[in-house]
Amino acid sequence: MAGRCSLALIASAMALAFAAPPGAAAQQVGSAKALQIFSERQALEGRLQDIGWKLATANAPFCDKAIPAVGLQLHDMASYGDPAAMRLLLGLTHDFALLTVASDSPAAAAGLAPGSEIAAIDEVEPNHWETSGSRDWRRTVRAHDLIDARLVENGSVTVTPIGGAPVTLAPVMACASRFELGGSGKRAVAEGTRVIIDRDFPGFDYAEDELAAAIAHELAHNLLRHRAWLDGEGRRQGNIRLTEREADRMMPWLLANAGYDPGAAMRFMQLWGPRHSGGILRKRSHDGWDERAEAIEAETALVRQLWRGEGIADWRAHFRREIAPAS
């Protein structure tokens, strides 16, 4: 589900589309380029949501906090720099539309698809909510919070597309974390309730299971409540290093439950580590990539052994903590 980070997806694209020289041909070229940029970033967002959905739903039985979820992500034209231009570019008549629909989710099973305009969430019409103007991300967060609340309160949520019949969605349980495409940087971060992957993150060039390993690392920070622990214990390098070790070792557990090869965690570190987590420029809050790989390899062997015996990777029962969990 989206928050503020993914809401400025195509500011640069809009500049290209609507700063073109006068003339129909120039305007068409600009608009085509803007739409291409939007489509490329929407595709990245879709990959992130698909993988996040697999990880969050498959590991829900072991999460301390699991919530009902339906796998849809909205975007609001008011969150962009020029809402009217965005509506024109995407061929929309209203502000709210589906940005992504996670594969194998209740929303996908119901036939909802990216690009569908949204008239109402239950009886609430989000297009009528007040907005402070352009780049207002608050309505998007409000809409996602409304969906989450109705799923908890009612056990379902009804989404009404513009010009279509209402669609009532029954949820499945998922670990409580949202997944968002970030800005133009290369970071992958977790902030307690969200996993944020910047659109230039190198892992987007990797195979799906290796990208899933990177996302699993950040999800592990949220599931293990590392931010809360660091808030209480302090963000000294030694403390951060402990949380990073735990997140590394949690990767193969989360991957296995989601149907990925747990060995992808090692492959990700072997691809990413030498270029981004080694040498004299290594962050001292992290072990060297080769040390991290050794720890991941040992944990992967344990996961494989448990999987052969139990058919699941129950990390709540078998994962060894290196810190006292935050209360």
Side-chain angles (χ1 to χ4, degrees), residues 301-312:
L302 174 59
V303 170
R304 292 191 190 280
Q305 179 182 359
L306 285 168
W307 192 272
R308 286 193 296 269
E310 302 179 5
I312 58 172

Side-chain angles (χ1 to χ4, degrees), residues 1-304:
M1 311 234 334
R4 72 193 70 181
C5 286
S6 62
L7 301 180
L9 279 171
I10 58 169
S12 59
M14 298 312 301
L16 284 171
F18 298 101
Q27 288 290 346
Q28 286 181 345
V29 169
S31 295
K33 181 63 175 178
L35 192 58
Q36 177 187 349
I37 292 173
F38 175 83
S39 297
E40 290 171 353
R41 296 179 186 176
Q42 187 180 32
L44 293 179
E45 188 83 68
R47 288 185 68 195
L48 173 58
Q49 298 303 322
D50 285 350
I51 293 171
W53 178 259
K54 288 182 182 180
L55 293 170
T57 55
N59 286 280
F62 315 116
C63 293
D64 289 340
K65 184 180 180 183
I67 61 172
V70 293
L72 59 78
Q73 181 187 27
L74 303 172
H75 63 149
D76 173 17
M77 300 307 103
S79 67
Y80 296 102
D82 189 334
M86 277 303 303
R87 286 192 295 271
L88 178 63
L89 182 72
L90 300 181
L92 305 179
T93 58
H94 293 71
D95 282 337
F96 275 88
L98 293 180
L99 180 62
T100 65
V101 176
S103 298
D104 299 320
S105 68
L112 293 175
S116 297
E117 295 186 71
I118 300 303
I121 301 168
D122 283 346
E123 75 286 357
V124 179
E125 299 180 352
N127 296 292
H128 294 171
W129 289 341
E130 291 186 4
T131 176
S132 63
S134 65
R135 305 191 188 279
D136 184 356
W137 49 266
R138 294 171 182 81
R139 295 201 313 179
T140 310
V141 174
R142 182 180 173 186
H144 285 137
D145 288 346
L146 173 62
I147 292 170
D148 290 348
R150 292 300 172 89
L151 290 172
V152 171
E153 294 164 2
N154 303 329
S156 66
V157 66
T158 298
V159 176
T160 304
I162 297 291
V167 178
T168 298
L169 302 172
V172 298
M173 299 305 292
C175 298
S177 185
R178 293 179 178 176
F179 299 87
E180 299 176 9
L181 188 68
S184 60
K186 298 182 178 182
R187 302 180 309 154
V189 298
E191 56 81 79
T193 60
R194 298 180 295 159
V195 169
I196 304 167
I197 310 295
D198 284 346
R199 61 177 181 259
D200 295 325
F201 179 65
F204 279 122
D205 293 328
Y206 300 167
E208 180 179 328
D209 57 357
E210 294 155 0
L211 173 59
I215 297 170
H217 176 98
E218 301 307 329
L219 178 60
H221 282 306
N222 289 348
L223 302 186
L224 298 173
R225 294 180 288 172
H226 284 159
R227 183 173 184 175
W229 185 80
L230 290 169
D231 287 345
E233 299 296 324
R235 298 179 180 276
R236 297 183 295 277
Q237 285 187 351
N239 285 349
I240 296 174
R241 193 175 298 119
L242 290 175
T243 64
E244 292 299 328
R245 288 172 182 166
E246 282 199 338
D248 281 344
R249 291 193 300 107
M250 179 67 88
M251 284 193 286
W253 298 83
L254 301 180
L255 290 171
N257 287 324
Y260 293 111
D261 175 11
M266 167 68 78
R267 294 197 298 275
F268 165 74
M269 187 57 64
Q270 290 172 331
L271 285 168
W272 182 83
R275 292 186 178 183
H276 305 284
S277 183
I280 62 173
L281 298 180
R282 171 174 65 86
K283 292 181 180 179
R284 297 305 161 185
S285 56
H286 295 60
D287 293 323
W289 77 267
D290 50 347
E291 298 172 281
R292 298 174 71 180
E294 289 177 4
I296 293 169
E297 183 177 28
E299 201 76 19
T300 301
L302 174 59
V303 170
R304 292 191 190 280

